[in-house]
Amino acid sequence: MDYVDLRSDTVTKPTPEMREAMAEAEVGDDVYMDDPTVNKLQIRAADLLGKEDSLFVPSGTMGNLLALLVHCQRGDEVIVGDKSHIYMNEAGGMSALGGIYPHPIRNQPDGSLSLEEIRASIQTEDVHHTITRLICIENTQNVCGGLPLSVEYTRQVGRIAKDNGLYFHIDGARIFNAAAALSVPAKDLAAPADSIMFCLSKGLAAPVGSMLVGNQKFIARARHLRKMLGGGMRQAGVLAAAGMISLERMTRRLGEDHARARKLSEGLKQVTGLVLDPGSASTNMVYFNLKDEVRLSVDQIVDEMRKRGILVDWAGPRRFRLVTHFWVDDAGVEKTVRAFSEILK
Ligand SMILES: *Cc1c(COP(=O)(O)O)cnc(C)c1O
């Protein structure tokens, strides 16, 4: 059965065009920096984000970890959102592997970190304190609803970082979704930051990989640490070939996923028992809660959906997140709305 898979945009399989490009990719040993396809991808990614250089990494988690390890020394402190992927979903890598100390502050309902709270969180010089070294934001902010953070907001965070001699990293796993939603070039969203990571393997539909982007010195150090972590890949051009199509083609079509998310959100609003988040479908994510009157558990709903050929994941004891992507079409959206209506009626 061909499932409508709304669990995440990470489930995207490579497109036929990607598979063809992968089969024909020119390759070399990328640890020797000899893989022409990887080199091309790295130049193109740096160019799109308006930075000097970039590095192809196996995952977004490794990309973020490398940024943390390059910017921070052991014992340094990082200001992060309490609902950020770096804080919640990267297995504590910064602490376990880098001896880096997270300073979580609340993500606001709009996904941002309050500028006042960032300022107030910067440690003063005192032998008792850790040394604040880095600010991280996430764009789009996944857990808050896939919400895009504006160019203006990002500039303000960049200003705080500069004024206080701090580095600034963006977890931009879905930065091209933010760019599409805001109708701005991704490089405008990256400009205030020292480094940015984005995923090829999510809405951009590549099978594997993320890009870490920054200046030459930063990337040179990140390349060294990538090898240390075991992330030096050999004929990675096979993967980079798909990544090139992500950059050239898939970045341009994300608006379609956002339109389908809106359509899904509109449809689900009509279903009794569901309460959509106010920011639902700001990009490719639809978040909603079950009303108290709904007797079914989220697990029962997941099972009922699966029986109807639809894969969904719950995001909390009474909460769902549905994600649109390249492999979800209009028929899939309609089928999903119908299934929820049936199950909850
Ligand atoms: C998916 C994701 C990552 C990590 O990417 P992986 O490739 O799964 O390691 C980082 N940040 C955010 C916001 C993500 O959604």
Side-chain angles (χ1 to χ4, degrees):
M1 180 187 249
D2 253 353
Y3 285 96
V4 180
D5 195 344
L6 295 158
R7 292 172 299 172
S8 179
D9 45 11
T10 56
V11 302
T12 44
K13 292 175 184 169
T15 66
E17 189 188 10
M18 283 180 181
R19 290 190 189 269
E20 202 172 308
M22 292 171 79
E24 286 166 8
E26 229 188 297
V27 295
D29 189 332
D30 182 50
V31 173
Y32 296 153
M33 296 171 74
D34 265 354
D35 189 301
T37 311
V38 171
N39 292 340
K40 212 167 87 178
L41 177 74
Q42 290 175 163
I43 290 168
R44 187 72 182 115
D47 179 47
L48 273 172
L49 275 299
K51 305 278 185 216
E52 286 175 9
D53 205 354
S54 86
L55 186 69
F56 184 47
V57 291
S59 69
T61 300
M62 189 186 285
N64 282 334
L65 177 61
L66 289 171
L68 288 154
L69 292 175
V70 175
H71 291 314
C72 300
Q73 302 297 310
R74 298 185 70 81
D76 285 353
E77 184 164 308
V78 181
I79 296 172
V80 285
D82 67 347
K83 296 192 180 68
S84 66
H85 195 280
I86 289 180
Y87 184 61
M88 295 174 72
N89 293 317
E90 300 190 0
M94 75 162 92
S95 306
L97 304 169
I100 301 164
Y101 196 66
H103 185 136
I105 62 179
R106 271 177 314 140
N107 279 102
Q108 306 291 306
D110 70 356
S112 70
L113 305 178
S114 122
L115 299 174
E116 273 104 285
E117 273 188 69
I118 293 176
R119 280 197 206 93
S121 302
I122 299 169
Q123 300 283 11
T124 51
E125 252 180 63
D126 183 313
V127 289
H128 298 88
H129 294 165
T130 51
I131 296 169
T132 306
R133 189 72 69 193
L134 173 69
I135 304 171
C136 296
I137 63 169
E138 184 174 310
N139 198 4
T140 61
Q141 215 302 339
N142 175 357
V143 173
C144 292
L147 304 179
L149 305 178
S150 71
V151 172
E152 183 49 35
Y153 172 75
T154 310
R155 280 193 191 131
Q156 288 172 319
V157 176
R159 172 61 50 204
I160 296 176
K162 248 205 190 75
D163 289 348
N164 291 280
L166 308 178
Y167 295 110
F168 177 20
H169 173 70
I170 300 176
D171 176 352
R174 298 183 180 83
I175 199 69
F176 287 99
N177 291 89
L182 299 166
S183 304
V184 296
K187 65 170 71 171
D188 290 6
L189 292 168
D194 298 291
S195 56
I196 179 164
M197 182 286 291
F198 70 91
C199 295
L200 299 166
S201 59
K202 294 188 172 166
L204 301 183
V208 176
S210 293
M211 304 303 299
L212 181 61
V213 191
N215 71 23
Q216 269 168 6
K217 192 167 162 227
F218 169 87
I219 293 298
R221 181 68 187 142
R223 178 174 284 111
H224 192 167
L225 292 172
R226 181 186 67 175
K227 190 76 182 82
M228 189 190 287
L229 294 178
M233 297 180 285
R234 303 297 178 176
Q235 283 73 42
V238 172
L239 300 172
M244 278 307 286
I245 291 166
S246 293
L247 295 185
E248 301 303 347
R249 295 243 200 292
M250 307 308 273
T251 53
R252 297 169 204 272
R253 59 156 303 285
L254 293 172
E256 292 176 35
D257 297 341
H258 300 178
R260 289 203 178 92
R262 284 195 297 274
K263 187 172 158 171
L264 180 59
S265 186
E266 287 309 313
L268 293 176
K269 260 182 208 158
Q270 311 305 318
V271 177
T272 47
L274 304 184
V275 185
L276 279 287
D277 276 18
S280 172
S282 294
T283 57
N284 64 335
M285 293 180 183
V286 175
Y287 274 95
F288 56 89
N289 292 308
L290 300 178
K291 284 188 185 157
D292 291 343
E293 72 217 34
V294 174
R295 290 289 167 78
L296 295 167
S297 71
V298 285
D299 283 321
Q300 287 171 315
I301 294 175
V302 167
D303 287 346
E304 286 301 318
M305 292 298 284
R306 181 185 286 272
K307 283 184 208 155
R308 290 166 173 80
I310 301 157
L311 302 179
V312 297
D313 253 354
W314 49 262
R318 301 291 285 170
R319 188 163 171 78
F320 282 92
R321 182 192 76 166
L322 273 44
V323 186
T324 57
H325 53 73
F326 183 81
W327 295 102
V328 176
D329 59 11
D330 289 327
V333 167
E334 286 153 23
K335 184 171 166 178
T336 303
V337 173
R338 268 200 312 276
F340 269 106
S341 308
E342 249 175 64
I343 294 165
L344 294 172
K345 78 164 184 282

